[in-house]
Amino acid sequence: LFEVNQTLSTSGAYDWEFFTIGPYHFLVVANTFNGQTTTISSTIYVWLDGCFRAFQNITTVGATDWEMFQIDDRFFLAVANSQQLSSRGPSLYNINSTVYELNMFTQTFIRFQDILTYSAVDWEFFTIGDEKFLVVANSHDGSSYSLNSVVYRWQGYEGFVPVHSLPTFGCRDWEHFTTDQGSFLIYSSATSRLSKVFRLRTY
């Protein structure tokens, strides 16, 4: 039986991500909307003395997903920001999503890279051989659901650099998987009856 261990205050929460760094366990929530604005804090919690305690607040803009990943001895969190409400006009969907990196000295996640996205609702991190990638689910630009979702490759000092655009329609989620036939990406669509499986082509 699962019993209530703790309740945490959230605001239009869309996603939780659990991760471990060294001996510490964390949860981060994607808070989306508080009834007035989508520019609100999403909170990272750390497990201490049998419960999760607030560790850090990060300002997000209609956050719908967090993706945690590790590259060598560096730890990152990527947030998908979906929309910015505007009091003087339509919502903005063409906004930055952000990759944060854990600073071991300050023991906080700091902004590492902003990436322009279009109502991003998901990030998926994956590796192929020694290469590291992030793919974003771009879902809407304010007028169309037919958009390119972009694969970014880790380039070290340059951060994540776009290397491939994949045509998607109302993209909501990416999943990477490998079989003995190769490396694949599949995306789900909430506005189409078809979802596509992409297979990595090597030359």
Side-chain angles (χ1 to χ4, degrees):
L1 280 175
F2 281 95
E3 297 179 342
V4 174
N5 182 74
Q6 183 181 0
T7 58
L8 296 169
S9 177
T10 57
S11 187
Y14 253 71
D15 182 59
W16 285 103
E17 176 87 342
F18 174 82
F19 57 97
T20 298
I21 299 175
Y24 298 103
H25 306 295
F26 297 88
L27 272 177
V28 57
V29 64
N31 285 326
T32 304
F33 184 57
N34 67 1
Q36 294 181 317
T37 180
T38 55
T39 305
I40 56 177
S41 290
S42 291
T43 305
I44 304 170
Y45 300 88
V46 63
W47 179 262
L48 290 174
D49 301 324
C51 67
F52 284 101
R53 302 178 187 273
F55 174 77
Q56 182 181 351
N57 290 315
I58 294 178
T59 300
T60 52
V61 188
T64 53
D65 180 67
W66 283 102
E67 180 83 351
M68 185 274 175
F69 54 93
Q70 181 179 352
I71 298 176
D72 299 325
D73 59 350
R74 301 169 68 177
F75 299 91
F76 297 89
L77 274 174
V79 65
N81 287 325
S82 65
Q83 63 174 300
Q84 181 177 0
L85 290 184
S86 174
S87 60
R88 289 173 290 181
S91 295
L92 299 176
Y93 299 95
N94 307 349
I95 57 176
N96 285 331
S97 293
T98 303
V99 179
Y100 297 88
E101 182 180 4
L102 178 62
N103 184 307
M104 293 297 186
F105 298 104
T106 62
Q107 295 188 335
T108 56
F109 283 91
I110 60 174
R111 184 185 305 269
F112 172 77
Q113 182 179 0
D114 287 324
I115 298 173
L116 180 62
T117 54
Y118 301 87
S119 193
V121 291
D122 182 58
W123 283 107
E124 175 83 351
F125 176 80
F126 60 97
T127 61
I128 299 174
D130 294 329
E131 301 287 343
K132 278 79 173 173
F133 299 89
L134 272 176
V135 59
V136 66
N138 285 325
S139 66
H140 188 52
D141 66 359
S143 60
S144 175
Y145 295 99
S146 181
L147 298 169
N148 285 331
S149 291
V150 182
V151 179
Y152 300 84
R153 183 169 62 197
W154 173 251
Q155 295 287 86
Y157 179 77
E158 297 177 77
F160 287 95
V161 175
V163 292
H164 194 45
S165 294
L166 300 171
T168 55
F169 192 86
C171 187
R172 290 293 188 272
D173 181 69
W174 281 105
E175 188 72 18
H176 173 263
F177 60 94
T178 57
T179 72
D180 55 6
Q181 302 297 312
S183 187
F184 298 84
L185 283 170
I186 184 171
Y187 88 88
S188 63
S189 171
T191 52
S192 171
R193 288 185 288 180
L194 294 176
S195 294
K196 290 181 181 178
V197 180
F198 296 88
R199 180 179 177 181
L200 177 67
R201 184 175 176 180
T202 56
Y203 296 92

